[in-house]
C-alpha cells in the first residue's frame, strides 16, 4: 500500500529496532495516537532514541552528538530501565531486548532536516537503529479527549497538524 506520512518518532520504550522490523513486515501500518502526540516538527517534544552497540558506546555517543545533521542535540545514554525513557542517576546503561544501549537525543528546536539526520545516524559505525520511522505509515487515527477521532492518510484527510 501507499505510504503517506514522512516522519514519526518512536522507540521511547527502547524497542525501536523490533518495532521497525514488525512495521516493515506489515502490509499496512496504521498508527493510533491521542492528539498529545501531534507536533509540527521532530525534536523538542520527544527525545529521539538511537540504539547503539555497547562496545565503544562512549565513542559512538560522542560521534552522534558531533554530527552536523544533529546540530544542537544533547546526547545521553539512557540508564536504569530501558522502557522508562529517562536517565536514572547512578544506574548502569539501560539494555534493550537485543542487548544494546539507547542514546536519547534531546533538542531545543525541531530537527532542521529529519531525512538527513536519519541518514547520518544510519551511516555511523556503532548505531544499530534510530527512532525515525520514515515513510512507513499508511494511516493515522487520532483520538481526542472528547472521544472523537480523525483519520489522516489513505481513506482519510490530509495531515492537519503540520
Amino acid at each position: 500500500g501507499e505510504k503517506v506520512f514522512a516522519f514519526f518518532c518512536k522507540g521511547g520504550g527502547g524497542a525501536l529496532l523490533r518495532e521497525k522490523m514488525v512495521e516493515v513486515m506489515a502490509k499496512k501500518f496504521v498508527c493510533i495516537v491521542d492528539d498529545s502526540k501531534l507536533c509540527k516538527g521532530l525534536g523538542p517534544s520527544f527525545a529521539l532514541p538511537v540504539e547503539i552497540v555497547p562496545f565503544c558506546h562512549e565513542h559512538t555517543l560522542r560521534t552522534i552528538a558531533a554530527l552536523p545533521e544533529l546540530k544542537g542535540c544533547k546526547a545521553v545514554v539512557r540508564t536504569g530501565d530501558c522502557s522508562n525513557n529517562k536517565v536514572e542517576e547512578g544506574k548502569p546503561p539501560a539494555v534493550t531486548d537485543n542487548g544494546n544501549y539507547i542514546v536519547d537525543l534531546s533538542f531545543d528546536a525541531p530537527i532542521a532536516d529529519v531525512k538527513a539526520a536519519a541518514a547520518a545516524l544510519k551511516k555511523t559505525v556503532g548505531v544499530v537503529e534510530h527512532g525515525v520511522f520514515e515513510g512507513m505509515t499508511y494511516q493515522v487515527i487520532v483520538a481526542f479527549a472528547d472521544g472523537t477521532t480523525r483519520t489522516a492518510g489513505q481513506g482519510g484527510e490530509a495531515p492537519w497538524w503540520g
Side-chain angles (χ1 to χ4, degrees), residues 74-129:
K74 178 184 173 193
V76 296
V77 173
R78 190 178 298 177
T79 55
D81 183 344
C82 194
S83 64
N84 72 8
N85 198 15
K86 62 184 172 184
V87 173
E88 292 183 44
E89 294 298 327
K91 300 277 186 170
V95 178
T96 68
D97 291 339
N98 305 306
N100 297 313
Y101 294 167
I102 297 285
V103 172
D104 289 311
L105 307 179
S106 299
F107 297 84
D108 291 329
I111 300 169
D113 186 339
V114 177
K115 191 170 191 155
L121 284 166
K122 285 296 272 191
K123 290 186 212 174
T124 303
V125 174
V127 170
V128 175
E129 192 55 81

Side-chain angles (χ1 to χ4, degrees), residues 35-73:
D35 63 329
S36 72
K37 301 287 186 181
L38 303 178
C39 60
K40 294 187 183 293
L42 296 184
S45 62
F46 184 82
L48 172 61
V50 180
E51 188 164 346
I52 66 170
V53 296
F55 183 71
C56 294
H57 71 277
E58 290 177 359
H59 170 77
T60 305
L61 174 83
R62 289 190 301 272
T63 301
I64 291 168
L67 290 171
E69 296 85 352
L70 297 171
K71 185 177 180 180
C73 82

